[in-house]
């Protein structure tokens, strides 16, 4: 149990911004700029698979808006329920545009983390009635009827095993309570 809590805390740290204020907002001026090497996404990671999918451009745009692409390139293990573009289209008009604004970053982070688990769940482990605790802290319930699988009300359209976990393609955006 202690190892799982520590793993969850460490994984959560990968998704949280450093909390630094830009110069001019009360932060001390930087001593020297540090050049960061360009990072190439692993095409077999959850981030790489989503970035290469024409059906997930809205999700990738949202991930980029809050700097969550690189964390999903980390070793994991993760389970990510990735809404397709059409899932975002189902939200009320203007919702996506509003969430992508800098002033909505906190809300967008919460929504995105409500699609992530710090464990890789194989499809056979997603049993009817299973309650999953999402990285944002809320939970969703799995419903399985025959071959049809829904998670938090979103229908699972397919799954892809990634090098750092499992990616489930879903037809809905799961909003936290």
């Amino acid at each position: 149990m202690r190892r799982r809590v520590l793993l969850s805390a460490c994984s959560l740290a990968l998704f949280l911004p450093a909390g630094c204020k830009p110069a001019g907002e009360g932060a001390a001026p930087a001593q020297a700029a540090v050049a960061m090497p360009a990072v190439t996404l692993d095409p077999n990671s959850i981030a790489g698979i989503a970035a290469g999918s024409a059906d997930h451009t809205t999700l990738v745009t949202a991930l980029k808006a809050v700097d969550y692409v690189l964390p999903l390139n980390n070793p994991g293990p993760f389970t990510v329920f990735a809404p397709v573009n059409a899932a975002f289209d189902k939200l009320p008009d203007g919702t996506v545009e509003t969430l992508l604004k800098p002033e909505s970053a906190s809300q967008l982070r919460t929504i995105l983390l409500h699609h992530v688990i710090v464990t890789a769940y194989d499809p056979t482990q997603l049993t009817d009635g299973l309650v999953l605790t999402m990285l944002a802290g809320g939970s969703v319930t799995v419903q399985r009827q025959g071959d049809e699988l829904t998670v938090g009300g979103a229908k699972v359209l397919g799954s892809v095993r990634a090098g750092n976990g499992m990616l489930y393609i879903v037809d809905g955006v799961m909003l936290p309570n």
Side-chain angles (χ1 to χ4, degrees):
M1 176 68 171
R2 185 174 184 193
R3 182 172 181 247
R4 188 175 191 180
V5 170
L6 180 59
L7 178 62
S8 294
C10 291
S11 296
L12 180 59
L14 296 173
F15 283 93
L16 297 177
C20 298
K21 292 182 181 179
E25 290 186 24
Q31 296 296 326
V34 177
M36 297 298 291
V39 178
T40 302
L41 290 181
D42 175 354
N44 294 317
S45 72
I46 290 170
I49 293 167
S53 168
D55 291 326
H56 290 95
T57 56
T58 304
L59 174 63
V60 172
T61 298
L63 291 169
K64 286 178 180 178
V66 293
D67 294 325
Y68 279 176
V69 174
L70 290 180
L72 291 177
N73 194 50
N74 286 324
F78 302 111
T79 296
V80 174
F81 298 97
V84 294
N85 295 337
F88 288 98
D89 293 342
K90 292 179 188 178
L91 295 172
D93 287 343
T95 300
V96 173
E97 293 78 9
T98 299
L99 288 171
L100 291 174
K101 292 180 179 179
E103 59 269 21
S104 301
S106 177
Q107 185 179 10
L108 181 57
R109 282 185 193 99
T110 300
I111 292 169
L112 292 172
L113 292 178
H114 193 67
H115 290 77
V116 180
I117 304 168
V118 186
T119 302
Y121 279 94
D122 188 83
T124 61
Q125 295 174 302
L126 297 178
T127 57
D128 189 47
L130 177 67
V131 176
L132 302 170
T133 301
M134 310 311 284
L135 195 53
S139 62
V140 297
T141 303
V142 174
Q143 294 180 323
R144 185 181 284 275
Q145 294 181 0
D147 290 338
E148 189 168 305
L149 179 65
T150 61
V151 178
K155 183 178 179 182
V156 175
L157 304 173
S159 63
V160 179
R161 181 167 301 286
N164 60 347
M166 286 296 299
L167 177 70
Y168 290 91
I169 301 159
V170 295
D171 75 346
V173 176
M174 300 183 299
L175 299 174
N177 291 337

